[in-house]
Amino acid sequence: MAKVLLTGATGFIGRQVLKILEAQGHEISIVVRPNWQDRITIKAGQTHVIETHDLFAEDSNWWSDALSDIQIVIHSAWYTEPGIYLTSPKNTACLNGTIKLAKAAKERGIKRFVGLGTCIEYEISEKTLTLETPLKPTTPYSDAKVKTYNALTKCFENTETSFLWCRVFYLYGEGEDPRRLVPFLHEKLKKGEVADLTSGQQIRDFIDVKDAAQMIIDGAFSSIEGPSNICTGIGRSVRKLAEEIADTYKRRDLLNFGARPDNLVDPPRIIGKPTDFSC
């Protein structure tokens, strides 16, 4: 069993990572904001709580104290408010705060550091996204993630700390923000209301957040270093995903495709090659 520090434990993916770590019996420290009890429950005696109003504002000395006796860091915290995060200036604060955490981890001689990136770090094309695909961020969010990856790669080079960067593809599932597509569809269909949608022709590599969390933990306890892809390798259209959800209610008739205009800058296809952490 390992001593793990987890950031973002109240977030969409962090909650699932925490559940799996607890189920596996690890000793966990979570860094969370006050009033975290409103969002998650923890196993007393196994999971320890470190509170801060803003983890990205803490300096390296604060992090050094938090990292005492820690072996593995899983850093899932970032600013991800739907509809805002892609262009938010808060991405810069997340970048700078992550670098301070990484420097403290290096000085502490942490065994393993796992950071979370995004599939949109890549240059998007019709081709499957692999670890060899060039990086070409097009938003402040993806640009900050690429800069974080580069900075942490350099930070941990030739140190005691091995570094894994998990590029996460399109998440859905338990605990998803209600403003996102899947919860929107469930809410509309439960009420018997029409769901106005785009054409739904975009192909995406959708992955259940629980499966993504398991992949991240598998990666954390693997020997693989550098970038990795957290995805399924299977493409589904937004339309197909919506129809699968509608079928659980037997209400495909409520899906109003084409009612909303397609985003003309939205890539038509994003599918990744998943990393095999069993190697």
Side-chain angles (χ1 to χ4, degrees), residues 85-277:
Y85 75 97
L86 286 175
T87 57
S88 173
K90 291 184 179 181
N91 285 295
T92 301
C94 294
L95 161 63
N96 294 333
T98 299
I99 291 172
K100 288 185 287 185
L101 165 58
K103 287 180 177 179
K106 179 180 71 171
E107 291 168 3
R108 274 285 188 182
I110 299 300
K111 180 181 178 181
R112 183 79 156 158
F113 191 105
V114 180
L116 269 59
T118 171
C119 62
I120 58 172
E121 294 174 46
Y122 289 119
E123 181 177 14
I124 305 300
S125 69
E126 291 292 320
K127 298 179 181 179
T128 296
L129 303 178
T130 72
L131 301 184
E132 289 71 43
T133 301
L135 302 182
K136 189 178 180 181
T138 58
T139 66
Y141 170 69
S142 57
D143 183 62
K145 288 290 190 177
V146 169
K147 288 178 178 175
T148 301
Y149 164 68
N150 289 333
L152 269 56
T153 298
K154 184 176 181 180
C155 177
F156 294 124
E157 190 176 18
N158 300 319
T159 70
E160 299 177 14
T161 305
S162 66
F163 171 52
L164 178 70
W165 185 250
C166 298
R167 293 189 176 120
V168 181
F169 281 63
Y170 285 80
L171 298 175
Y172 69 94
E174 183 180 273
E176 194 169 359
D177 189 289
R179 290 169 289 185
R180 289 164 59 98
L181 174 63
V182 171
F184 164 78
L185 287 170
H186 280 292
E187 183 65 19
K188 286 290 188 180
L189 296 169
K190 281 179 184 177
K191 294 179 178 179
E193 297 176 354
V194 172
D196 289 338
L197 303 166
T198 66
S199 67
Q201 298 305 309
Q202 312 96 315
I203 305 295
R204 296 290 181 264
D205 194 326
F206 292 106
I207 181 169
D208 189 288
V209 66
K210 294 180 180 180
D211 296 331
Q214 185 63 64
M215 285 188 71
I216 290 166
I217 291 174
D218 290 345
F221 289 92
S222 75
S223 60
I224 292 176
E225 298 187 54
S228 63
N229 283 341
I230 306 300
C231 60
T232 67
I234 300 170
R236 276 190 291 174
S237 69
V238 172
R239 184 185 187 104
K240 182 172 177 58
L241 177 66
E243 288 174 342
E244 289 173 0
I245 294 170
D247 286 346
T248 65
Y249 299 91
K250 299 181 179 180
R251 293 304 307 266
R252 282 199 188 192
D253 60 299
L254 294 176
L255 301 178
N256 189 18
F257 293 108
R260 295 183 179 184
D262 287 342
N263 183 347
L264 297 180
V265 299
D266 203 16
R269 181 182 188 272
I270 300 180
I271 302 173
K273 180 181 179 181
T275 298
D276 182 2
F277 293 113

Side-chain angles (χ1 to χ4, degrees), residues 8-150:
T10 62
F12 183 30
I13 195 165
R15 287 198 295 270
Q16 303 302 329
V17 171
L18 176 60
K19 288 178 182 179
I20 297 171
L21 288 173
E22 287 184 329
Q24 291 181 347
H26 302 289
E27 184 177 338
I28 310 151
S29 294
I30 58 172
V31 181
V32 291
R33 293 179 183 271
N35 301 319
W36 55 271
Q37 299 94 332
D38 297 337
R39 303 188 66 183
I40 58 171
T41 57
I42 64 171
K43 289 188 177 181
Q46 180 184 359
T47 298
H48 313 280
V49 177
I50 302 171
E51 291 189 2
T52 174
H53 287 281
D54 184 359
L55 66 85
F56 294 107
E58 301 293 357
D59 61 22
S60 292
N61 290 330
W62 186 93
W63 279 114
S64 183
D65 290 339
L67 292 169
S68 178
D69 296 325
I70 294 297
Q71 297 168 299
I72 299 174
V73 172
I74 301 178
H75 180 47
S76 71
W78 200 272
Y79 177 73
T80 56
E81 185 172 355
I84 301 175
Y85 75 97
L86 286 175
T87 57
S88 173
K90 291 184 179 181
N91 285 295
T92 301
C94 294
L95 161 63
N96 294 333
T98 299
I99 291 172
K100 288 185 287 185
L101 165 58
K103 287 180 177 179
K106 179 180 71 171
E107 291 168 3
R108 274 285 188 182
I110 299 300
K111 180 181 178 181
R112 183 79 156 158
F113 191 105
V114 180
L116 269 59
T118 171
C119 62
I120 58 172
E121 294 174 46
Y122 289 119
E123 181 177 14
I124 305 300
S125 69
E126 291 292 320
K127 298 179 181 179
T128 296
L129 303 178
T130 72
L131 301 184
E132 289 71 43
T133 301
L135 302 182
K136 189 178 180 181
T138 58
T139 66
Y141 170 69
S142 57
D143 183 62
K145 288 290 190 177
V146 169
K147 288 178 178 175
T148 301
Y149 164 68
N150 289 333

